[in-house]
Amino acid sequence: MQGEKGIVCVTGGTGYIGSWLIFRLLDHGYSVRTTVRFNPENEKDISFLTSLPGASEKLKIFNADLSNPESFAAAIEGCVGVFHVATPVDFENKEAEEIVTKISIDGALGILNACLDSKTVKKVVYTSSSSAVIFNGKDVDEMDESFWSDMDYAKSLKSNAGSYIISKTLTERAVLEFSEKHGLEVVTLIPSFVVGPFICPKLPSSVLSVFDMVLGEKTESSSCLDLVHVDDVARAHIFLFEHHESKGSSRFKLNGSKLPCLSSKKLLDSGFEFKYGVEDMFDDAIKCCKEKGYL
Ligand SMILES: NC(=O)c1ccc[n+]([C@@H]2O[C@H](COP(=O)([O-])OP(=O)(O)OC[C@H]3O[C@@H](n4cnc5c(N)ncnc54)[C@H](OP(=O)(O)O)[C@@H]3O)[C@@H](O)[C@H]2O)c1
């Protein structure tokens, strides 16, 4: 049975945001295809996805890897929309920054080419990151969508997140350029730190980092500690897919903190309403960590 709103594809279904977005899309009446990296030597337990409400009729799992950009075509064929959420994450610097960035950009462009070839995809929502904005070296209180992280400044920080900052910034730029060049409608969404409950089995790195920062065990190289609830992140992805009309490309910030350094004005002006405050983010994350035995 096909969901009444059509078929959409979510890349990176095993991740924190990807899995929560799938949960919400099924709930909203979509049929969902998601891509997962299969490893024959280490089979993943994806029962947390296949047991979601509605999944048995409306969720299909595909095998695709950003290192093989053509591998997403089968999942995207026949979809009305694509949410490109997957990203290589390498905070331990196992790979050179150039390799991580190449995988991220080539994978994203492979996905966008598959969207063009499909002739059915009407819009792509790309999950960017505040990392693509805040590392700009400028001393300002509030940043809007015109700010971009500066690559020389990001490199000078010598942070473990260096390859993440650079790959997210250059991939978002490449995605927006592709959209302009080929007339494919693309919206990029820029979440700040994502906190809240999770359905994936692994404790999400952003939830862990925020707990560490709040408990004073870690300091970030940026003074920004803007937060957003994972359910608002999923709701904003769906909102921009369903409601935002634009020819070409647009960039939107997503930040649920009361005193943000990342401004969500553009998103709020377009009609999005946040449902959760900081207290909900922590209450829901702590409750979920307790239920899953992390606390
Ligand atoms: N969490 C945050 O605070 C936050 C904030 C702003 C933006 N974001 C963005 O949101 C997106 C999701 O982040 P997340 O927190 O949900 O991260 P996550 O839990 O680490 O999920 C990352 C996903 O990407 C997949 N992936 C990694 N490398 C891949 C590759 N080579 N090919 C295919 N898939 C690959 C992972 O698959 P495996 O399970 O196989 O590794 C996983 O499904 C990312 O684009 C991230 O930049 C996150």
mmCIF file of all heavy atoms in Angstrom, residues 211-258:
data_model
loop_
_atom_site.group_PDB
_atom_site.id
_atom_site.type_symbol
_atom_site.label_atom_id
_atom_site.label_comp_id
_atom_site.label_asym_id
_atom_site.label_seq_id
_atom_site.Cartn_x
_atom_site.Cartn_y
_atom_site.Cartn_z
ATOM 1 N N PHE A 211 25.380 16.818 26.471
ATOM 2 C CA PHE A 211 25.473 16.430 27.887
ATOM 3 C C PHE A 211 26.864 16.783 28.420
ATOM 4 O O PHE A 211 27.006 17.337 29.505
ATOM 5 C CB PHE A 211 25.235 14.926 28.058
ATOM 6 C CG PHE A 211 23.774 14.513 28.011
ATOM 7 C CD1 PHE A 211 23.424 13.171 27.981
ATOM 8 C CD2 PHE A 211 22.760 15.448 28.014
ATOM 9 C CE1 PHE A 211 22.093 12.783 27.949
ATOM 10 C CE2 PHE A 211 21.425 15.068 27.973
ATOM 11 C CZ PHE A 211 21.096 13.733 27.941
ATOM 12 N N ASP A 212 27.914 16.459 27.643
ATOM 13 C CA ASP A 212 29.288 16.747 28.077
ATOM 14 C C ASP A 212 29.504 18.247 28.283
ATOM 15 O O ASP A 212 30.114 18.677 29.260
ATOM 16 C CB ASP A 212 30.298 16.250 27.027
ATOM 17 C CG ASP A 212 30.515 14.749 27.126
ATOM 18 O OD1 ASP A 212 30.042 14.152 28.104
ATOM 19 O OD2 ASP A 212 31.141 14.178 26.218
ATOM 20 N N MET A 213 28.981 19.044 27.351
ATOM 21 C CA MET A 213 29.184 20.502 27.457
ATOM 22 C C MET A 213 28.448 21.068 28.660
ATOM 23 O O MET A 213 28.986 21.873 29.410
ATOM 24 C CB MET A 213 28.692 21.195 26.193
ATOM 25 C CG MET A 213 29.642 21.077 25.042
ATOM 26 S SD MET A 213 28.978 22.022 23.675
ATOM 27 C CE MET A 213 28.909 20.781 22.430
ATOM 28 N N VAL A 214 27.207 20.582 28.855
ATOM 29 C CA VAL A 214 26.402 21.103 29.957
ATOM 30 C C VAL A 214 27.009 20.676 31.297
ATOM 31 O O VAL A 214 27.022 21.429 32.264
ATOM 32 C CB VAL A 214 24.938 20.618 29.816
ATOM 33 C CG1 VAL A 214 24.147 20.915 31.063
ATOM 34 C CG2 VAL A 214 24.295 21.290 28.620
ATOM 35 N N LEU A 215 27.574 19.465 31.331
ATOM 36 C CA LEU A 215 28.184 18.990 32.568
ATOM 37 C C LEU A 215 29.614 19.500 32.723
ATOM 38 O O LEU A 215 30.312 19.153 33.668
ATOM 39 C CB LEU A 215 28.177 17.451 32.600
ATOM 40 C CG LEU A 215 26.765 16.832 32.608
ATOM 41 C CD1 LEU A 215 26.836 15.333 32.428
ATOM 42 C CD2 LEU A 215 26.014 17.187 33.887
ATOM 43 N N GLY A 216 30.052 20.286 31.734
ATOM 44 C CA GLY A 216 31.345 20.957 31.845
ATOM 45 C C GLY A 216 32.537 20.094 31.522
ATOM 46 O O GLY A 216 33.665 20.441 31.834
ATOM 47 N N GLU A 217 32.313 18.946 30.823
ATOM 48 C CA GLU A 217 33.440 18.070 30.517
ATOM 49 C C GLU A 217 34.074 18.348 29.171
ATOM 50 O O GLU A 217 35.030 17.733 28.774
ATOM 51 C CB GLU A 217 32.993 16.607 30.592
ATOM 52 C CG GLU A 217 32.726 16.199 32.018
ATOM 53 C CD GLU A 217 32.233 14.782 32.136
ATOM 54 O OE1 GLU A 217 32.408 14.019 31.196
ATOM 55 O OE2 GLU A 217 31.682 14.460 33.193
ATOM 56 N N LYS A 218 33.480 19.253 28.408
ATOM 57 C CA LYS A 218 34.002 19.527 27.085
ATOM 58 C C LYS A 218 33.788 20.995 26.765
ATOM 59 O O LYS A 218 32.759 21.553 27.130
ATOM 60 C CB LYS A 218 33.204 18.703 26.074
ATOM 61 C CG LYS A 218 33.989 18.263 24.874
ATOM 62 C CD LYS A 218 33.029 17.609 23.913
ATOM 63 C CE LYS A 218 33.569 16.319 23.359
ATOM 64 N NZ LYS A 218 32.595 15.663 22.497
ATOM 65 N N THR A 219 34.737 21.629 26.103
ATOM 66 C CA THR A 219 34.499 23.002 25.666
ATOM 67 C C THR A 219 34.561 23.027 24.157
ATOM 68 O O THR A 219 35.368 22.348 23.549
ATOM 69 C CB THR A 219 35.554 23.972 26.210
ATOM 70 O OG1 THR A 219 36.821 23.417 25.935
ATOM 71 C CG2 THR A 219 35.380 24.233 27.678
ATOM 72 N N GLU A 220 33.669 23.798 23.567
ATOM 73 C CA GLU A 220 33.645 23.909 22.118
ATOM 74 C C GLU A 220 34.482 25.091 21.689
ATOM 75 O O GLU A 220 34.656 26.057 22.414
ATOM 76 C CB GLU A 220 32.206 24.127 21.645
ATOM 77 C CG GLU A 220 31.487 22.849 21.384
ATOM 78 C CD GLU A 220 32.059 22.092 20.187
ATOM 79 O OE1 GLU A 220 31.861 22.528 19.050
ATOM 80 O OE2 GLU A 220 32.729 21.061 20.396
ATOM 81 N N SER A 221 34.988 25.023 20.440
ATOM 82 C CA SER A 221 35.799 26.121 19.943
ATOM 83 C C SER A 221 34.931 27.309 19.544
ATOM 84 O O SER A 221 35.419 28.362 19.234
ATOM 85 C CB SER A 221 36.620 25.657 18.748
ATOM 86 O OG SER A 221 35.815 24.863 17.917
ATOM 87 N N SER A 222 33.607 27.126 19.537
ATOM 88 C CA SER A 222 32.726 28.241 19.217
ATOM 89 C C SER A 222 31.954 28.618 20.467
ATOM 90 O O SER A 222 31.658 27.770 21.300
ATOM 91 C CB SER A 222 31.748 27.807 18.131
ATOM 92 O OG SER A 222 30.631 28.640 18.144
ATOM 93 N N SER A 223 31.592 29.905 20.581
ATOM 94 C CA SER A 223 30.823 30.319 21.752
ATOM 95 C C SER A 223 29.340 29.996 21.570
ATOM 96 O O SER A 223 28.545 30.181 22.469
ATOM 97 C CB SER A 223 31.001 31.809 21.981
ATOM 98 O OG SER A 223 30.632 32.483 20.810
ATOM 99 N N CYS A 224 28.946 29.530 20.397
ATOM 100 C CA CYS A 224 27.548 29.205 20.115
ATOM 101 C C CYS A 224 27.175 27.878 20.763
ATOM 102 O O CYS A 224 27.829 26.874 20.505
ATOM 103 C CB CYS A 224 27.358 28.992 18.617
ATOM 104 S SG CYS A 224 26.685 30.375 17.746
ATOM 105 N N LEU A 225 26.147 27.869 21.607
ATOM 106 C CA LEU A 225 25.601 26.568 22.005
ATOM 107 C C LEU A 225 24.103 26.647 21.766
ATOM 108 O O LEU A 225 23.299 26.731 22.682
ATOM 109 C CB LEU A 225 25.950 26.204 23.457
ATOM 110 C CG LEU A 225 25.399 24.845 23.902
ATOM 111 C CD1 LEU A 225 25.791 23.728 22.943
ATOM 112 C CD2 LEU A 225 25.832 24.477 25.294
ATOM 113 N N ASP A 226 23.755 26.686 20.489
ATOM 114 C CA ASP A 226 22.356 26.722 20.102
ATOM 115 C C ASP A 226 21.864 25.300 19.961
ATOM 116 O O ASP A 226 22.579 24.435 19.458
ATOM 117 C CB ASP A 226 22.200 27.465 18.776
ATOM 118 C CG ASP A 226 22.376 28.957 18.953
ATOM 119 O OD1 ASP A 226 22.227 29.430 20.088
ATOM 120 O OD2 ASP A 226 22.656 29.637 17.960
ATOM 121 N N LEU A 227 20.630 25.065 20.402
ATOM 122 C CA LEU A 227 20.087 23.709 20.444
ATOM 123 C C LEU A 227 18.735 23.643 19.760
ATOM 124 O O LEU A 227 18.004 24.638 19.703
ATOM 125 C CB LEU A 227 19.899 23.274 21.910
ATOM 126 C CG LEU A 227 21.091 23.397 22.850
ATOM 127 C CD1 LEU A 227 20.655 23.101 24.290
ATOM 128 C CD2 LEU A 227 22.197 22.438 22.441
ATOM 129 N N VAL A 228 18.392 22.448 19.278
ATOM 130 C CA VAL A 228 17.061 22.254 18.706
ATOM 131 C C VAL A 228 16.620 20.827 18.990
ATOM 132 O O VAL A 228 17.452 19.906 19.033
ATOM 133 C CB VAL A 228 17.064 22.599 17.192
ATOM 134 C CG1 VAL A 228 17.979 21.689 16.387
ATOM 135 C CG2 VAL A 228 15.655 22.564 16.612
ATOM 136 N N HIS A 229 15.311 20.656 19.212
ATOM 137 C CA HIS A 229 14.753 19.333 19.523
ATOM 138 C C HIS A 229 14.661 18.512 18.232
ATOM 139 O O HIS A 229 14.255 19.020 17.186
ATOM 140 C CB HIS A 229 13.353 19.525 20.120
ATOM 141 C CG HIS A 229 12.782 18.316 20.763
ATOM 142 N ND1 HIS A 229 12.324 17.231 20.047
ATOM 143 C CD2 HIS A 229 12.574 18.010 22.076
ATOM 144 C CE1 HIS A 229 11.856 16.324 20.878
ATOM 145 N NE2 HIS A 229 12.007 16.759 22.123
ATOM 146 N N VAL A 230 14.990 17.223 18.333
ATOM 147 C CA VAL A 230 15.018 16.372 17.133
ATOM 148 C C VAL A 230 13.654 16.333 16.434
ATOM 149 O O VAL A 230 13.581 16.250 15.202
ATOM 150 C CB VAL A 230 15.512 14.947 17.477
ATOM 151 C CG1 VAL A 230 14.532 14.202 18.369
ATOM 152 C CG2 VAL A 230 15.821 14.136 16.226
ATOM 153 N N ASP A 231 12.577 16.430 17.202
ATOM 154 C CA ASP A 231 11.263 16.384 16.558
ATOM 155 C C ASP A 231 10.986 17.675 15.793
ATOM 156 O O ASP A 231 10.338 17.647 14.740
ATOM 157 C CB ASP A 231 10.169 16.118 17.610
ATOM 158 C CG ASP A 231 8.885 15.626 16.962
ATOM 159 O OD1 ASP A 231 8.961 14.785 16.036
ATOM 160 O OD2 ASP A 231 7.803 16.079 17.367
ATOM 161 N N ASP A 232 11.483 18.820 16.290
ATOM 162 C CA ASP A 232 11.360 20.061 15.516
ATOM 163 C C ASP A 232 12.214 19.977 14.252
ATOM 164 O O ASP A 232 11.854 20.550 13.222
ATOM 165 C CB ASP A 232 11.783 21.275 16.366
ATOM 166 C CG ASP A 232 10.638 21.810 17.230
ATOM 167 O OD1 ASP A 232 9.457 21.549 16.887
ATOM 168 O OD2 ASP A 232 10.918 22.472 18.250
ATOM 169 N N VAL A 233 13.343 19.275 14.328
ATOM 170 C CA VAL A 233 14.179 19.115 13.125
ATOM 171 C C VAL A 233 13.393 18.333 12.065
ATOM 172 O O VAL A 233 13.318 18.746 10.900
ATOM 173 C CB VAL A 233 15.498 18.373 13.461
ATOM 174 C CG1 VAL A 233 16.318 18.136 12.199
ATOM 175 C CG2 VAL A 233 16.319 19.165 14.475
ATOM 176 N N ALA A 234 12.772 17.220 12.474
ATOM 177 C CA ALA A 234 11.988 16.422 11.523
ATOM 178 C C ALA A 234 10.794 17.230 11.013
ATOM 179 O O ALA A 234 10.512 17.246 9.806
ATOM 180 C CB ALA A 234 11.517 15.133 12.189
ATOM 181 N N ARG A 235 10.119 17.942 11.918
ATOM 182 C CA ARG A 235 8.958 18.751 11.510
ATOM 183 C C ARG A 235 9.365 19.835 10.521
ATOM 184 O O ARG A 235 8.645 20.121 9.570
ATOM 185 C CB ARG A 235 8.303 19.393 12.750
ATOM 186 C CG ARG A 235 7.620 18.371 13.672
ATOM 187 C CD ARG A 235 7.103 19.029 14.952
ATOM 188 N NE ARG A 235 6.106 20.039 14.702
ATOM 189 C CZ ARG A 235 6.267 21.347 14.881
ATOM 190 N NH1 ARG A 235 7.406 21.814 15.378
ATOM 191 N NH2 ARG A 235 5.316 22.199 14.600
ATOM 192 N N ALA A 236 10.537 20.447 10.731
ATOM 193 C CA ALA A 236 10.984 21.514 9.820
ATOM 194 C C ALA A 236 11.341 20.946 8.438
ATOM 195 O O ALA A 236 11.062 21.571 7.412
ATOM 196 C CB ALA A 236 12.187 22.252 10.417
ATOM 197 N N HIS A 237 11.948 19.756 8.412
ATOM 198 C CA HIS A 237 12.231 19.116 7.112
ATOM 199 C C HIS A 237 10.919 18.924 6.329
ATOM 200 O O HIS A 237 10.825 19.256 5.152
ATOM 201 C CB HIS A 237 12.873 17.737 7.315
ATOM 202 C CG HIS A 237 14.357 17.762 7.551
ATOM 203 N ND1 HIS A 237 14.911 18.136 8.747
ATOM 204 C CD2 HIS A 237 15.402 17.451 6.744
ATOM 205 C CE1 HIS A 237 16.237 18.042 8.660
ATOM 206 N NE2 HIS A 237 16.560 17.639 7.457
ATOM 207 N N ILE A 238 9.908 18.395 7.021
ATOM 208 C CA ILE A 238 8.633 18.099 6.346
ATOM 209 C C ILE A 238 7.924 19.404 5.980
ATOM 210 O O ILE A 238 7.371 19.544 4.888
ATOM 211 C CB ILE A 238 7.744 17.194 7.238
ATOM 212 C CG1 ILE A 238 8.466 15.861 7.478
ATOM 213 C CG2 ILE A 238 6.376 16.966 6.612
ATOM 214 C CD1 ILE A 238 7.826 14.963 8.536
ATOM 215 N N PHE A 239 7.991 20.390 6.878
ATOM 216 C CA PHE A 239 7.370 21.699 6.613
ATOM 217 C C PHE A 239 7.961 22.322 5.352
ATOM 218 O O PHE A 239 7.228 22.791 4.469
ATOM 219 C CB PHE A 239 7.606 22.623 7.823
ATOM 220 C CG PHE A 239 7.149 24.030 7.593
ATOM 221 C CD1 PHE A 239 5.812 24.386 7.797
ATOM 222 C CD2 PHE A 239 8.036 25.006 7.162
ATOM 223 C CE1 PHE A 239 5.386 25.693 7.564
ATOM 224 C CE2 PHE A 239 7.613 26.310 6.932
ATOM 225 C CZ PHE A 239 6.288 26.648 7.132
ATOM 226 N N LEU A 240 9.283 22.335 5.250
ATOM 227 C CA LEU A 240 9.906 22.970 4.088
ATOM 228 C C LEU A 240 9.609 22.185 2.811
ATOM 229 O O LEU A 240 9.450 22.754 1.740
ATOM 230 C CB LEU A 240 11.416 23.112 4.289
ATOM 231 C CG LEU A 240 11.805 24.172 5.317
ATOM 232 C CD1 LEU A 240 13.303 24.157 5.567
ATOM 233 C CD2 LEU A 240 11.372 25.568 4.874
ATOM 234 N N PHE A 241 9.514 20.868 2.948
ATOM 235 C CA PHE A 241 9.175 20.051 1.773
ATOM 236 C C PHE A 241 7.750 20.354 1.312
ATOM 237 O O PHE A 241 7.495 20.510 0.121
ATOM 238 C CB PHE A 241 9.317 18.561 2.111
ATOM 239 C CG PHE A 241 8.963 17.680 0.954
ATOM 240 C CD1 PHE A 241 9.737 17.691 -0.202
ATOM 241 C CD2 PHE A 241 7.842 16.868 0.992
ATOM 242 C CE1 PHE A 241 9.402 16.907 -1.292
ATOM 243 C CE2 PHE A 241 7.506 16.079 -0.092
ATOM 244 C CZ PHE A 241 8.283 16.094 -1.233
ATOM 245 N N GLU A 242 6.833 20.491 2.254
ATOM 246 C CA GLU A 242 5.424 20.620 1.879
ATOM 247 C C GLU A 242 4.992 22.053 1.601
ATOM 248 O O GLU A 242 4.144 22.292 0.758
ATOM 249 C CB GLU A 242 4.531 20.069 3.010
ATOM 250 C CG GLU A 242 4.641 18.566 3.163
ATOM 251 C CD GLU A 242 3.689 18.009 4.205
ATOM 252 O OE1 GLU A 242 3.152 18.784 5.024
ATOM 253 O OE2 GLU A 242 3.500 16.776 4.202
ATOM 254 N N HIS A 243 5.583 23.020 2.315
ATOM 255 C CA HIS A 243 5.015 24.363 2.265
ATOM 256 C C HIS A 243 5.869 25.405 1.568
ATOM 257 O O HIS A 243 5.340 26.373 1.042
ATOM 258 C CB HIS A 243 4.709 24.882 3.677
ATOM 259 C CG HIS A 243 3.702 24.046 4.370
ATOM 260 N ND1 HIS A 243 2.406 23.961 3.953
ATOM 261 C CD2 HIS A 243 3.809 23.220 5.428
ATOM 262 C CE1 HIS A 243 1.748 23.126 4.736
ATOM 263 N NE2 HIS A 243 2.592 22.668 5.644
ATOM 264 N N HIS A 244 7.181 25.244 1.627
ATOM 265 C CA HIS A 244 7.983 26.346 1.107
ATOM 266 C C HIS A 244 8.027 26.299 -0.413
ATOM 267 O O HIS A 244 8.430 25.309 -0.999
ATOM 268 C CB HIS A 244 9.408 26.285 1.666
ATOM 269 C CG HIS A 244 10.279 27.341 1.076
ATOM 270 N ND1 HIS A 244 10.084 28.677 1.327
ATOM 271 C CD2 HIS A 244 11.301 27.265 0.211
ATOM 272 C CE1 HIS A 244 10.967 29.377 0.655
ATOM 273 N NE2 HIS A 244 11.715 28.548 -0.027
ATOM 274 N N GLU A 245 7.576 27.388 -1.042
ATOM 275 C CA GLU A 245 7.605 27.419 -2.507
ATOM 276 C C GLU A 245 8.727 28.314 -2.962
ATOM 277 O O GLU A 245 8.786 29.482 -2.610
ATOM 278 C CB GLU A 245 6.283 27.945 -3.048
ATOM 279 C CG GLU A 245 5.228 26.876 -2.994
ATOM 280 C CD GLU A 245 3.945 27.281 -3.667
ATOM 281 O OE1 GLU A 245 3.994 28.116 -4.585
ATOM 282 O OE2 GLU A 245 2.913 26.753 -3.236
ATOM 283 N N SER A 246 9.636 27.764 -3.735
ATOM 284 C CA SER A 246 10.699 28.610 -4.272
ATOM 285 C C SER A 246 11.134 28.017 -5.592
ATOM 286 O O SER A 246 11.074 26.812 -5.793
ATOM 287 C CB SER A 246 11.888 28.648 -3.318
ATOM 288 O OG SER A 246 12.550 27.412 -3.340
ATOM 289 N N LYS A 247 11.524 28.865 -6.481
ATOM 290 C CA LYS A 247 12.122 28.386 -7.719
ATOM 291 C C LYS A 247 13.615 28.426 -7.466
ATOM 292 O O LYS A 247 14.172 29.479 -7.183
ATOM 293 C CB LYS A 247 11.782 29.318 -8.890
ATOM 294 C CG LYS A 247 10.305 29.389 -9.198
ATOM 295 C CD LYS A 247 9.965 28.454 -10.367
ATOM 296 C CE LYS A 247 8.486 28.437 -10.675
ATOM 297 N NZ LYS A 247 7.643 27.850 -9.651
ATOM 298 N N GLY A 248 14.267 27.297 -7.500
ATOM 299 C CA GLY A 248 15.702 27.274 -7.260
ATOM 300 C C GLY A 248 16.014 26.837 -5.860
ATOM 301 O O GLY A 248 15.440 25.895 -5.346
ATOM 302 N N SER A 249 16.925 27.580 -5.188
ATOM 303 C CA SER A 249 17.428 27.090 -3.915
ATOM 304 C C SER A 249 17.219 28.098 -2.792
ATOM 305 O O SER A 249 17.191 29.304 -3.018
ATOM 306 C CB SER A 249 18.920 26.801 -4.053
ATOM 307 O OG SER A 249 19.566 27.956 -4.495
ATOM 308 N N SER A 250 17.100 27.589 -1.567
ATOM 309 C CA SER A 250 16.960 28.449 -0.380
ATOM 310 C C SER A 250 17.664 27.813 0.799
ATOM 311 O O SER A 250 17.749 26.598 0.890
ATOM 312 C CB SER A 250 15.499 28.582 0.026
ATOM 313 O OG SER A 250 14.797 29.337 -0.865
ATOM 314 N N ARG A 251 18.089 28.651 1.720
ATOM 315 C CA ARG A 251 18.793 28.219 2.921
ATOM 316 C C ARG A 251 17.980 28.630 4.145
ATOM 317 O O ARG A 251 17.510 29.775 4.208
ATOM 318 C CB ARG A 251 20.100 29.012 2.960
ATOM 319 C CG ARG A 251 21.342 28.241 3.222
ATOM 320 C CD ARG A 251 22.569 29.115 3.192
ATOM 321 N NE ARG A 251 23.608 28.361 3.848
ATOM 322 C CZ ARG A 251 24.588 28.864 4.545
ATOM 323 N NH1 ARG A 251 24.682 30.175 4.711
ATOM 324 N NH2 ARG A 251 25.484 28.089 5.102
ATOM 325 N N PHE A 252 17.807 27.730 5.132
ATOM 326 C CA PHE A 252 17.029 28.050 6.332
ATOM 327 C C PHE A 252 17.756 27.593 7.582
ATOM 328 O O PHE A 252 18.212 26.449 7.656
ATOM 329 C CB PHE A 252 15.664 27.327 6.300
ATOM 330 C CG PHE A 252 14.673 27.934 5.365
ATOM 331 C CD1 PHE A 252 14.622 27.501 4.050
ATOM 332 C CD2 PHE A 252 13.819 28.926 5.778
ATOM 333 C CE1 PHE A 252 13.710 28.054 3.163
ATOM 334 C CE2 PHE A 252 12.905 29.498 4.905
ATOM 335 C CZ PHE A 252 12.851 29.054 3.593
ATOM 336 N N LYS A 253 17.773 28.448 8.608
ATOM 337 C CA LYS A 253 18.368 28.077 9.903
ATOM 338 C C LYS A 253 17.310 27.458 10.809
ATOM 339 O O LYS A 253 16.141 27.821 10.727
ATOM 340 C CB LYS A 253 18.884 29.319 10.608
ATOM 341 C CG LYS A 253 19.978 30.018 9.882
ATOM 342 C CD LYS A 253 21.304 29.415 10.266
ATOM 343 C CE LYS A 253 22.405 30.267 9.711
ATOM 344 N NZ LYS A 253 22.133 31.679 9.910
ATOM 345 N N LEU A 254 17.737 26.605 11.716
ATOM 346 C CA LEU A 254 16.810 25.921 12.623
ATOM 347 C C LEU A 254 17.417 25.879 13.996
ATOM 348 O O LEU A 254 18.397 25.186 14.241
ATOM 349 C CB LEU A 254 16.563 24.505 12.104
ATOM 350 C CG LEU A 254 15.670 23.604 12.929
ATOM 351 C CD1 LEU A 254 14.262 24.175 13.006
ATOM 352 C CD2 LEU A 254 15.618 22.223 12.330
ATOM 353 N N ASN A 255 16.837 26.633 14.892
ATOM 354 C CA ASN A 255 17.438 26.760 16.200
ATOM 355 C C ASN A 255 16.346 27.029 17.224
ATOM 356 O O ASN A 255 15.630 28.021 17.118
ATOM 357 C CB ASN A 255 18.432 27.924 16.124
ATOM 358 C CG ASN A 255 19.070 28.195 17.425
ATOM 359 O OD1 ASN A 255 19.044 27.351 18.313
ATOM 360 N ND2 ASN A 255 19.624 29.359 17.563
ATOM 361 N N GLY A 256 16.206 26.133 18.217
ATOM 362 C CA GLY A 256 15.114 26.259 19.172
ATOM 363 C C GLY A 256 15.473 26.977 20.460
ATOM 364 O O GLY A 256 14.661 27.040 21.370
ATOM 365 N N SER A 257 16.699 27.511 20.566
ATOM 366 C CA SER A 257 17.106 28.195 21.800
ATOM 367 C C SER A 257 16.470 29.577 21.884
ATOM 368 O O SER A 257 16.235 30.217 20.858
ATOM 369 C CB SER A 257 18.626 28.349 21.859
ATOM 370 O OG SER A 257 19.238 27.110 21.700
ATOM 371 N N LYS A 258 16.236 30.035 23.119
ATOM 372 C CA LYS A 258 15.561 31.336 23.306
ATOM 373 C C LYS A 258 16.474 32.513 22.980
ATOM 374 O O LYS A 258 16.045 33.536 22.507
ATOM 375 C CB LYS A 258 15.070 31.455 24.757
ATOM 376 C CG LYS A 258 13.775 30.718 25.014
ATOM 377 C CD LYS A 258 12.601 31.692 24.990
ATOM 378 C CE LYS A 258 11.257 31.081 24.700
ATOM 379 N NZ LYS A 258 10.895 29.911 25.472
#
